[in-house]
Amino acid sequence: PWPRGQDGPVPFVALAQFFRRDIPGLACGPGGADLVQLFRCPWVHGPYPDRRYTLRWRDAMRTERAERFLGTPPEAPLLRWEHELPEPCVLHPEEVDTYPWAEGHTLPASLIARIDAWDDARAAEHGPDAVSYQYDLSIPPGWRIGGCPTWASTGPMAIGCASCGSPMRLLLTADGYETDGGSHSWAPLEDRDPDLSGTESIPGSPSVARPTRLRFGRDQDLHVFVCPAEPGHAPRWVLA
């Protein structure tokens, strides 16, 4: 994809690509497409300023057998901040169970009250390293396919398809941080200091906490929603 810059078209920055063969839960795209790619415009737009993204679905077999490829990958234009250009990473997908964000109408009010009481009791007994539902049990940090969205900065939102009104399904969550002090239980064992425990065992180095080097909004999650009724309908982007 090529957005228009002041001196002509500039390439979108490639953020991620996922194959359905690697992630069985990945929904098919239009026409049964099994490869999805996420791009971001290198420029910001509007008075706020806003980021613009694009989602491309492809047939993996046809893409891998293409007769022509670019000899030299397109170079991104000069960017203002380091976190605007992703650090190349290899993904190692791991399947985990996720549970809804406990706020608003995402769960019955009586169940949310029980979760809050359980969290308070754990915190009183174990202090800052206590396991909590929201950070340690419901939704892991980092990049995720499917599962439940986080609503830490906005509160729960109903996301409907702009074309047909169907409730949309979460396809992808992009997160600038793979771990933090509030969700330390998700940190891989190989990234921990074996001589320490709790939050102190997690190194604060960028290579561990922010391996992709990216940021979304003011350290928010970028949720990409798609229409389950018609994969060809436009996706929606939500920072939360």
Side-chain angles (χ1 to χ4, degrees):
W2 298 82
R4 192 78 183 176
Q6 293 181 349
D7 299 322
V10 295
F12 274 76
V13 176
L15 300 186
Q17 72 172 9
F18 301 94
F19 292 87
R20 196 165 188 269
R21 65 182 180 229
D22 298 325
I23 307 173
L26 179 64
C28 290
D34 57 352
L35 165 61
V36 62
Q37 299 170 325
L38 177 65
F39 298 88
R40 181 167 70 182
C41 179
W43 309 130
V44 292
H45 301 266
Y48 294 107
D50 293 330
R51 288 288 188 182
R52 293 183 181 176
Y53 299 88
T54 185
L55 201 67
R56 291 295 177 92
W57 289 94
R58 305 183 190 278
D59 180 275
M61 184 175 294
R62 291 183 59 186
T63 300
E64 293 171 333
R65 295 180 179 178
E67 295 180 358
R68 292 188 302 168
F69 292 94
L70 292 177
T72 303
E75 294 185 1
L78 183 64
L79 301 173
R80 295 177 301 170
W81 308 104
E82 183 184 65
H83 62 73
E84 294 178 335
L85 186 66
E87 181 74 20
C89 296
V90 176
L91 300 176
H92 301 281
E94 179 181 358
E95 188 172 5
V96 298
D97 293 326
T98 63
Y99 300 92
W101 187 261
E103 184 182 357
H105 299 291
T106 59
L107 290 170
S110 59
L111 181 54
I112 292 178
R114 290 173 58 193
I115 290 172
D116 290 342
W118 183 83
D119 282 345
D120 292 342
R122 297 285 297 182
E125 182 178 355
H126 299 284
D129 284 335
V131 173
S132 69
Y133 172 84
Q134 209 81 298
Y135 291 102
D136 296 289
L137 301 178
S138 62
I139 306 171
W143 290 62
R144 308 179 291 280
I145 292 289
C148 301
T150 53
W151 301 111
S153 61
T154 63
M157 301 168 61
I159 309 298
C161 177
S163 298
C164 67
S166 298
M168 302 190 85
R169 177 179 59 232
L170 180 63
L171 171 72
L172 164 68
T173 298
D175 187 353
Y177 288 85
E178 289 293 316
T179 185
D180 56 49
S183 52
H184 59 86
S185 68
W186 293 101
L189 294 179
E190 59 266 27
D191 289 338
R192 293 178 179 269
D193 185 332
D195 296 326
L196 300 174
S197 62
T199 56
E200 295 181 352
S201 69
I202 304 171
S205 64
S207 62
V208 173
R210 295 180 54 212
T212 64
R213 194 169 56 186
L214 294 168
R215 289 179 63 186
F216 300 93
R218 296 182 177 180
D219 291 328
Q220 297 167 295
D221 287 353
L222 172 70
H223 295 314
V224 183
F225 289 89
V226 293
C227 179
E230 176 49 64
H233 287 170
R236 290 189 63 180
W237 323 93
V238 178
L239 283 170

Short mmCIF file of all heavy atoms in Angstrom, two decimals, residues 138-199:
data_model
loop_
_atom_site.label_atom_id
_atom_site.label_comp_id
_atom_site.label_asym_id
_atom_site.label_seq_id
_atom_site.Cartn_x
_atom_site.Cartn_y
_atom_site.Cartn_z
N SER A 138 -7.45 -12.74 33.15
CA SER A 138 -8.43 -12.57 32.07
C SER A 138 -7.80 -12.43 30.70
O SER A 138 -8.09 -13.21 29.79
CB SER A 138 -9.33 -11.36 32.36
OG SER A 138 -8.56 -10.16 32.41
N ILE A 139 -6.91 -11.45 30.50
CA ILE A 139 -6.38 -11.15 29.17
C ILE A 139 -4.88 -10.89 29.26
O ILE A 139 -4.45 -10.00 29.99
CB ILE A 139 -7.08 -9.92 28.56
CG1 ILE A 139 -8.60 -10.11 28.56
CG2 ILE A 139 -6.58 -9.66 27.14
CD1 ILE A 139 -9.37 -8.87 28.17
N PRO A 140 -4.06 -11.64 28.53
CA PRO A 140 -2.62 -11.41 28.60
C PRO A 140 -2.22 -10.13 27.87
O PRO A 140 -2.93 -9.68 26.96
CB PRO A 140 -2.04 -12.64 27.89
CG PRO A 140 -3.12 -13.07 26.95
CD PRO A 140 -4.41 -12.76 27.64
N PRO A 141 -1.10 -9.53 28.24
CA PRO A 141 -0.60 -8.38 27.50
C PRO A 141 0.06 -8.84 26.19
O PRO A 141 0.20 -10.03 25.94
CB PRO A 141 0.43 -7.77 28.46
CG PRO A 141 0.94 -8.96 29.22
CD PRO A 141 -0.24 -9.88 29.37
N GLY A 142 0.47 -7.89 25.38
CA GLY A 142 1.16 -8.22 24.14
C GLY A 142 0.22 -8.40 22.96
O GLY A 142 -0.98 -8.12 23.04
N TRP A 143 0.76 -8.87 21.86
CA TRP A 143 -0.02 -9.07 20.62
C TRP A 143 -0.85 -10.34 20.74
O TRP A 143 -0.37 -11.38 21.20
CB TRP A 143 0.93 -9.18 19.43
CG TRP A 143 1.60 -7.89 19.08
CD1 TRP A 143 2.46 -7.17 19.86
CD2 TRP A 143 1.47 -7.17 17.85
NE1 TRP A 143 2.88 -6.05 19.19
CE2 TRP A 143 2.29 -6.01 17.96
CE3 TRP A 143 0.75 -7.38 16.68
CZ2 TRP A 143 2.41 -5.08 16.94
CZ3 TRP A 143 0.87 -6.46 15.66
CH2 TRP A 143 1.68 -5.33 15.78
N ARG A 144 -2.10 -10.26 20.32
CA ARG A 144 -3.01 -11.39 20.46
C ARG A 144 -3.92 -11.51 19.24
O ARG A 144 -4.32 -10.50 18.65
CB ARG A 144 -3.89 -11.21 21.71
CG ARG A 144 -3.12 -10.92 22.98
CD ARG A 144 -4.01 -10.73 24.18
NE ARG A 144 -4.82 -9.51 24.14
CZ ARG A 144 -4.37 -8.30 24.44
NH1 ARG A 144 -3.10 -8.12 24.79
NH2 ARG A 144 -5.15 -7.25 24.40
N ILE A 145 -4.23 -12.73 18.88
CA ILE A 145 -5.22 -13.01 17.84
C ILE A 145 -6.49 -13.49 18.53
O ILE A 145 -6.45 -14.43 19.33
CB ILE A 145 -4.73 -14.09 16.85
CG1 ILE A 145 -3.55 -13.57 16.02
CG2 ILE A 145 -5.85 -14.55 15.94
CD1 ILE A 145 -3.94 -12.53 14.99
N GLY A 146 -7.61 -12.86 18.23
CA GLY A 146 -8.88 -13.27 18.80
C GLY A 146 -8.96 -12.95 20.29
O GLY A 146 -8.34 -12.02 20.79
N GLY A 147 -9.75 -13.74 21.00
CA GLY A 147 -9.91 -13.54 22.43
C GLY A 147 -10.80 -12.36 22.77
O GLY A 147 -11.67 -11.97 21.99
N CYS A 148 -10.57 -11.78 23.93
CA CYS A 148 -11.39 -10.69 24.44
C CYS A 148 -10.62 -9.38 24.40
O CYS A 148 -9.42 -9.36 24.66
CB CYS A 148 -11.84 -10.97 25.87
SG CYS A 148 -12.79 -12.49 26.07
N PRO A 149 -11.28 -8.26 24.12
CA PRO A 149 -10.59 -6.97 24.12
C PRO A 149 -10.39 -6.42 25.52
O PRO A 149 -11.17 -6.72 26.43
CB PRO A 149 -11.53 -6.07 23.31
CG PRO A 149 -12.88 -6.66 23.52
CD PRO A 149 -12.68 -8.15 23.65
N THR A 150 -9.35 -5.62 25.68
CA THR A 150 -9.15 -4.89 26.93
C THR A 150 -9.78 -3.50 26.78
O THR A 150 -9.82 -2.94 25.70
CB THR A 150 -7.65 -4.72 27.22
OG1 THR A 150 -7.01 -4.14 26.08
CG2 THR A 150 -7.00 -6.05 27.52
N TRP A 151 -10.25 -2.96 27.90
CA TRP A 151 -10.92 -1.66 27.86
C TRP A 151 -10.38 -0.75 28.96
O TRP A 151 -11.12 -0.03 29.60
CB TRP A 151 -12.44 -1.83 28.02
CG TRP A 151 -13.07 -2.68 26.97
CD1 TRP A 151 -13.61 -3.92 27.12
CD2 TRP A 151 -13.25 -2.35 25.58
NE1 TRP A 151 -14.11 -4.39 25.94
CE2 TRP A 151 -13.91 -3.44 24.97
CE3 TRP A 151 -12.92 -1.24 24.79
CZ2 TRP A 151 -14.23 -3.46 23.62
CZ3 TRP A 151 -13.24 -1.26 23.45
CH2 TRP A 151 -13.89 -2.35 22.87
N ALA A 152 -9.06 -0.78 29.17
CA ALA A 152 -8.48 -0.08 30.31
C ALA A 152 -8.66 1.42 30.25
O ALA A 152 -8.87 2.07 31.27
CB ALA A 152 -7.00 -0.42 30.42
N SER A 153 -8.60 2.03 29.07
CA SER A 153 -8.63 3.49 28.98
C SER A 153 -9.98 4.04 28.54
O SER A 153 -10.26 5.22 28.74
CB SER A 153 -7.55 3.99 28.01
OG SER A 153 -7.75 3.46 26.71
N THR A 154 -10.83 3.22 27.94
CA THR A 154 -12.10 3.73 27.41
C THR A 154 -13.32 3.18 28.11
O THR A 154 -14.40 3.77 28.03
CB THR A 154 -12.22 3.38 25.91
OG1 THR A 154 -12.26 1.95 25.76
CG2 THR A 154 -11.06 3.95 25.12
N GLY A 155 -13.19 2.04 28.78
CA GLY A 155 -14.36 1.33 29.25
C GLY A 155 -14.95 0.53 28.10
O GLY A 155 -14.69 0.81 26.92
N PRO A 156 -15.75 -0.50 28.40
CA PRO A 156 -16.30 -1.37 27.35
C PRO A 156 -17.11 -0.60 26.32
O PRO A 156 -17.85 0.33 26.64
CB PRO A 156 -17.19 -2.34 28.13
CG PRO A 156 -16.60 -2.35 29.51
CD PRO A 156 -16.12 -0.96 29.75
N MET A 157 -16.96 -0.99 25.06
CA MET A 157 -17.66 -0.36 23.95
C MET A 157 -18.31 -1.43 23.09
O MET A 157 -17.77 -2.53 22.94
CB MET A 157 -16.68 0.46 23.10
CG MET A 157 -15.95 1.55 23.85
SD MET A 157 -14.57 2.26 22.89
CE MET A 157 -15.45 2.90 21.45
N ALA A 158 -19.47 -1.10 22.52
CA ALA A 158 -20.12 -1.98 21.55
C ALA A 158 -19.61 -1.60 20.16
O ALA A 158 -19.75 -0.45 19.73
CB ALA A 158 -21.64 -1.84 21.62
N ILE A 159 -19.02 -2.54 19.45
CA ILE A 159 -18.42 -2.28 18.14
C ILE A 159 -19.28 -2.95 17.07
O ILE A 159 -19.36 -4.18 17.00
CB ILE A 159 -16.98 -2.79 18.06
CG1 ILE A 159 -16.16 -2.29 19.24
CG2 ILE A 159 -16.34 -2.39 16.74
CD1 ILE A 159 -16.04 -0.78 19.32
N GLY A 160 -19.95 -2.14 16.27
CA GLY A 160 -20.81 -2.66 15.21
C GLY A 160 -20.24 -2.37 13.84
O GLY A 160 -19.52 -1.39 13.63
N CYS A 161 -20.57 -3.23 12.88
CA CYS A 161 -20.12 -3.06 11.51
C CYS A 161 -20.80 -1.84 10.90
O CYS A 161 -22.02 -1.69 10.96
CB CYS A 161 -20.43 -4.31 10.71
SG CYS A 161 -20.00 -4.19 8.95
N ALA A 162 -20.01 -0.96 10.27
CA ALA A 162 -20.56 0.24 9.66
C ALA A 162 -21.39 -0.08 8.43
O ALA A 162 -22.24 0.72 8.02
CB ALA A 162 -19.42 1.20 9.28
N SER A 163 -21.21 -1.27 7.83
CA SER A 163 -21.93 -1.62 6.61
C SER A 163 -23.24 -2.33 6.88
O SER A 163 -24.26 -2.04 6.23
CB SER A 163 -21.05 -2.53 5.72
OG SER A 163 -19.87 -1.86 5.32
N CYS A 164 -23.26 -3.26 7.85
CA CYS A 164 -24.47 -4.05 8.07
C CYS A 164 -24.98 -4.01 9.51
O CYS A 164 -26.04 -4.54 9.80
CB CYS A 164 -24.23 -5.51 7.66
SG CYS A 164 -23.04 -6.40 8.70
N GLY A 165 -24.22 -3.40 10.42
CA GLY A 165 -24.66 -3.28 11.79
C GLY A 165 -24.41 -4.50 12.66
O GLY A 165 -24.73 -4.48 13.85
N SER A 166 -23.82 -5.55 12.11
CA SER A 166 -23.57 -6.76 12.90
C SER A 166 -22.53 -6.48 13.99
O SER A 166 -21.59 -5.71 13.76
CB SER A 166 -23.04 -7.89 12.00
OG SER A 166 -24.00 -8.25 11.03
N PRO A 167 -22.68 -7.09 15.17
CA PRO A 167 -21.62 -6.97 16.18
C PRO A 167 -20.32 -7.53 15.63
O PRO A 167 -20.28 -8.63 15.08
CB PRO A 167 -22.14 -7.81 17.34
CG PRO A 167 -23.62 -7.89 17.13
CD PRO A 167 -23.82 -7.89 15.65
N MET A 168 -19.24 -6.77 15.76
CA MET A 168 -17.99 -7.18 15.15
C MET A 168 -17.19 -8.07 16.09
O MET A 168 -17.38 -8.06 17.31
CB MET A 168 -17.17 -5.96 14.74
CG MET A 168 -17.89 -5.04 13.78
SD MET A 168 -16.83 -3.76 13.07
CE MET A 168 -16.11 -4.64 11.68
N ARG A 169 -16.29 -8.87 15.50
CA ARG A 169 -15.46 -9.81 16.24
C ARG A 169 -14.04 -9.27 16.29
O ARG A 169 -13.51 -8.73 15.32
CB ARG A 169 -15.48 -11.17 15.54
CG ARG A 169 -14.58 -12.22 16.20
CD ARG A 169 -14.66 -13.55 15.46
NE ARG A 169 -14.26 -13.41 14.07
CZ ARG A 169 -14.98 -13.82 13.04
NH1 ARG A 169 -16.17 -14.36 13.24
NH2 ARG A 169 -14.53 -13.69 11.82
N LEU A 170 -13.39 -9.45 17.44
CA LEU A 170 -12.01 -9.02 17.59
C LEU A 170 -11.10 -9.95 16.79
O LEU A 170 -11.06 -11.15 17.04
CB LEU A 170 -11.62 -9.03 19.07
CG LEU A 170 -10.18 -8.59 19.38
CD1 LEU A 170 -9.94 -7.15 18.98
CD2 LEU A 170 -9.87 -8.80 20.86
N LEU A 171 -10.38 -9.39 15.84
CA LEU A 171 -9.44 -10.16 15.04
C LEU A 171 -8.05 -10.13 15.66
O LEU A 171 -7.39 -11.17 15.82
CB LEU A 171 -9.36 -9.60 13.62
CG LEU A 171 -8.25 -10.19 12.74
CD1 LEU A 171 -8.60 -11.61 12.34
CD2 LEU A 171 -8.00 -9.33 11.51
N LEU A 172 -7.59 -8.95 16.04
CA LEU A 172 -6.20 -8.77 16.44
C LEU A 172 -6.09 -7.65 17.47
O LEU A 172 -6.78 -6.64 17.37
CB LEU A 172 -5.37 -8.41 15.20
CG LEU A 172 -3.97 -7.83 15.41
CD1 LEU A 172 -3.04 -8.88 16.00
CD2 LEU A 172 -3.41 -7.30 14.09
N THR A 173 -5.22 -7.85 18.43
CA THR A 173 -4.83 -6.79 19.36
C THR A 173 -3.34 -6.57 19.24
O THR A 173 -2.55 -7.52 19.33
CB THR A 173 -5.17 -7.16 20.81
OG1 THR A 173 -6.59 -7.33 20.94
CG2 THR A 173 -4.72 -6.07 21.77
N ALA A 174 -2.93 -5.32 19.01
CA ALA A 174 -1.53 -4.96 18.95
C ALA A 174 -1.21 -4.12 20.19
O ALA A 174 -1.90 -3.14 20.46
CB ALA A 174 -1.22 -4.17 17.68
N ASP A 175 -0.19 -4.51 20.91
CA ASP A 175 0.15 -3.87 22.17
C ASP A 175 1.63 -3.53 22.16
O ASP A 175 2.46 -4.33 21.71
CB ASP A 175 -0.17 -4.82 23.33
CG ASP A 175 -0.01 -4.19 24.71
OD1 ASP A 175 0.48 -3.05 24.79
OD2 ASP A 175 -0.36 -4.85 25.69
N GLY A 176 1.98 -2.35 22.62
CA GLY A 176 3.37 -1.95 22.65
C GLY A 176 4.19 -2.70 23.68
O GLY A 176 5.41 -2.80 23.55
N TYR A 177 3.54 -3.24 24.72
CA TYR A 177 4.26 -3.90 25.81
C TYR A 177 3.86 -5.37 25.90
O TYR A 177 2.68 -5.69 25.86
CB TYR A 177 3.97 -3.21 27.14
CG TYR A 177 4.62 -1.86 27.28
CD1 TYR A 177 4.01 -0.72 26.78
CD2 TYR A 177 5.87 -1.72 27.89
CE1 TYR A 177 4.61 0.53 26.88
CE2 TYR A 177 6.48 -0.48 28.00
CZ TYR A 177 5.84 0.64 27.50
OH TYR A 177 6.44 1.86 27.60
N GLU A 178 4.87 -6.23 26.03
CA GLU A 178 4.61 -7.65 26.22
C GLU A 178 4.42 -8.00 27.68
O GLU A 178 3.88 -9.05 28.01
CB GLU A 178 5.76 -8.48 25.64
CG GLU A 178 5.82 -8.46 24.13
CD GLU A 178 4.63 -9.17 23.48
OE1 GLU A 178 4.26 -10.26 23.94
OE2 GLU A 178 4.08 -8.60 22.52
N THR A 179 4.89 -7.14 28.56
CA THR A 179 4.74 -7.38 29.99
C THR A 179 4.88 -6.06 30.72
O THR A 179 5.44 -5.10 30.19
CB THR A 179 5.79 -8.37 30.51
OG1 THR A 179 5.54 -8.67 31.88
CG2 THR A 179 7.19 -7.81 30.36
N ASP A 180 4.32 -6.00 31.92
CA ASP A 180 4.45 -4.82 32.76
C ASP A 180 4.25 -5.24 34.21
O ASP A 180 3.98 -6.41 34.50
CB ASP A 180 3.45 -3.72 32.36
CG ASP A 180 2.01 -4.20 32.37
OD1 ASP A 180 1.60 -4.83 33.39
OD2 ASP A 180 1.29 -3.97 31.40
N GLY A 181 4.41 -4.28 35.12
CA GLY A 181 4.31 -4.61 36.53
C GLY A 181 2.95 -5.12 36.94
O GLY A 181 2.83 -5.89 37.90
N GLY A 182 1.88 -4.72 36.22
CA GLY A 182 0.54 -5.15 36.60
C GLY A 182 0.18 -6.53 36.12
O GLY A 182 -0.79 -7.12 36.60
N SER A 183 0.92 -7.07 35.15
CA SER A 183 0.57 -8.37 34.58
C SER A 183 1.81 -9.27 34.53
O SER A 183 2.06 -9.95 33.55
CB SER A 183 -0.02 -8.20 33.18
OG SER A 183 0.83 -7.42 32.36
N HIS A 184 2.58 -9.24 35.62
CA HIS A 184 3.86 -9.94 35.62
C HIS A 184 3.72 -11.45 35.51
O HIS A 184 4.66 -12.14 35.09
CB HIS A 184 4.64 -9.60 36.89
CG HIS A 184 3.93 -9.94 38.16
ND1 HIS A 184 4.00 -11.17 38.72
CD2 HIS A 184 3.13 -9.18 38.97
CE1 HIS A 184 3.28 -11.19 39.83
NE2 HIS A 184 2.74 -10.00 40.01
N SER A 185 2.55 -12.00 35.84
CA SER A 185 2.41 -13.45 35.81
C SER A 185 2.47 -14.00 34.39
O SER A 185 2.72 -15.20 34.20
CB SER A 185 1.09 -13.87 36.47
OG SER A 185 -0.01 -13.45 35.69
N TRP A 186 2.26 -13.17 33.37
CA TRP A 186 2.29 -13.62 31.99
C TRP A 186 3.71 -13.64 31.42
O TRP A 186 3.92 -14.15 30.32
CB TRP A 186 1.43 -12.73 31.11
CG TRP A 186 -0.04 -12.81 31.39
CD1 TRP A 186 -0.78 -11.93 32.11
CD2 TRP A 186 -0.95 -13.83 30.97
NE1 TRP A 186 -2.10 -12.33 32.16
CE2 TRP A 186 -2.23 -13.49 31.45
CE3 TRP A 186 -0.80 -15.00 30.22
CZ2 TRP A 186 -3.35 -14.27 31.23
CZ3 TRP A 186 -1.93 -15.78 29.98
CH2 TRP A 186 -3.18 -15.42 30.48
N ALA A 187 4.68 -13.07 32.10
CA ALA A 187 6.04 -13.00 31.56
C ALA A 187 6.62 -14.41 31.42
O ALA A 187 6.55 -15.22 32.34
CB ALA A 187 6.93 -12.17 32.48
N PRO A 188 7.21 -14.73 30.26
CA PRO A 188 7.80 -16.07 30.06
C PRO A 188 8.91 -16.34 31.08
O PRO A 188 9.64 -15.44 31.49
CB PRO A 188 8.36 -15.99 28.64
CG PRO A 188 7.62 -14.88 27.98
CD PRO A 188 7.32 -13.90 29.06
N LEU A 189 9.05 -17.60 31.44
CA LEU A 189 10.08 -17.97 32.41
C LEU A 189 11.48 -17.63 31.90
O LEU A 189 12.35 -17.25 32.67
CB LEU A 189 9.98 -19.48 32.70
CG LEU A 189 8.72 -19.95 33.42
CD1 LEU A 189 8.76 -21.46 33.61
CD2 LEU A 189 8.57 -19.25 34.77
N GLU A 190 11.69 -17.75 30.57
CA GLU A 190 13.02 -17.47 30.04
C GLU A 190 13.38 -15.99 30.09
O GLU A 190 14.54 -15.62 29.92
CB GLU A 190 13.14 -17.98 28.60
CG GLU A 190 12.14 -17.39 27.63
CD GLU A 190 10.89 -18.24 27.48
OE1 GLU A 190 10.55 -18.99 28.44
OE2 GLU A 190 10.26 -18.16 26.42
N ASP A 191 12.38 -15.13 30.33
CA ASP A 191 12.64 -13.70 30.44
C ASP A 191 12.77 -13.23 31.89
O ASP A 191 12.91 -12.05 32.15
CB ASP A 191 11.52 -12.90 29.77
CG ASP A 191 11.55 -13.02 28.25
OD1 ASP A 191 12.63 -13.35 27.71
OD2 ASP A 191 10.51 -12.79 27.61
N ARG A 192 12.74 -14.16 32.82
CA ARG A 192 12.78 -13.80 34.23
C ARG A 192 14.17 -14.03 34.83
O ARG A 192 14.96 -14.83 34.32
CB ARG A 192 11.76 -14.63 35.03
CG ARG A 192 10.31 -14.34 34.71
CD ARG A 192 9.40 -15.25 35.50
NE ARG A 192 7.99 -15.00 35.26
CZ ARG A 192 7.26 -14.15 35.97
NH1 ARG A 192 7.80 -13.48 36.97
NH2 ARG A 192 5.99 -13.97 35.70
N ASP A 193 14.44 -13.36 35.91
CA ASP A 193 15.64 -13.60 36.70
C ASP A 193 15.31 -14.71 37.69
O ASP A 193 14.47 -14.52 38.59
CB ASP A 193 16.06 -12.33 37.44
CG ASP A 193 17.38 -12.49 38.19
OD1 ASP A 193 17.70 -13.62 38.58
OD2 ASP A 193 18.07 -11.46 38.39
N PRO A 194 15.91 -15.90 37.56
CA PRO A 194 15.53 -17.03 38.43
C PRO A 194 15.84 -16.81 39.89
O PRO A 194 15.32 -17.54 40.75
CB PRO A 194 16.36 -18.19 37.85
CG PRO A 194 17.52 -17.53 37.16
CD PRO A 194 16.99 -16.24 36.63
N ASP A 195 16.68 -15.84 40.21
CA ASP A 195 17.04 -15.59 41.60
C ASP A 195 16.08 -14.64 42.31
O ASP A 195 16.21 -14.39 43.50
CB ASP A 195 18.46 -15.02 41.69
CG ASP A 195 19.50 -16.00 41.18
OD1 ASP A 195 19.30 -17.22 41.39
OD2 ASP A 195 20.48 -15.54 40.57
N LEU A 196 15.10 -14.08 41.55
CA LEU A 196 14.15 -13.13 42.12
C LEU A 196 12.73 -13.65 41.92
O LEU A 196 12.50 -14.61 41.17
CB LEU A 196 14.33 -11.75 41.47
CG LEU A 196 15.71 -11.09 41.63
CD1 LEU A 196 15.78 -9.81 40.81
CD2 LEU A 196 16.00 -10.81 43.10
N SER A 197 11.78 -12.99 42.54
CA SER A 197 10.38 -13.40 42.42
C SER A 197 9.49 -12.20 42.17
O SER A 197 9.90 -11.05 42.37
CB SER A 197 9.92 -14.13 43.70
OG SER A 197 10.00 -13.26 44.81
N GLY A 198 8.26 -12.48 41.72
CA GLY A 198 7.28 -11.40 41.49
C GLY A 198 7.74 -10.41 40.45
O GLY A 198 8.46 -10.75 39.51
N THR A 199 7.34 -9.16 40.63
CA THR A 199 7.67 -8.12 39.65
C THR A 199 9.17 -7.88 39.57
O THR A 199 9.67 -7.46 38.51
CB THR A 199 6.96 -6.81 40.01
OG1 THR A 199 7.32 -6.42 41.34
CG2 THR A 199 5.45 -6.97 39.94
#
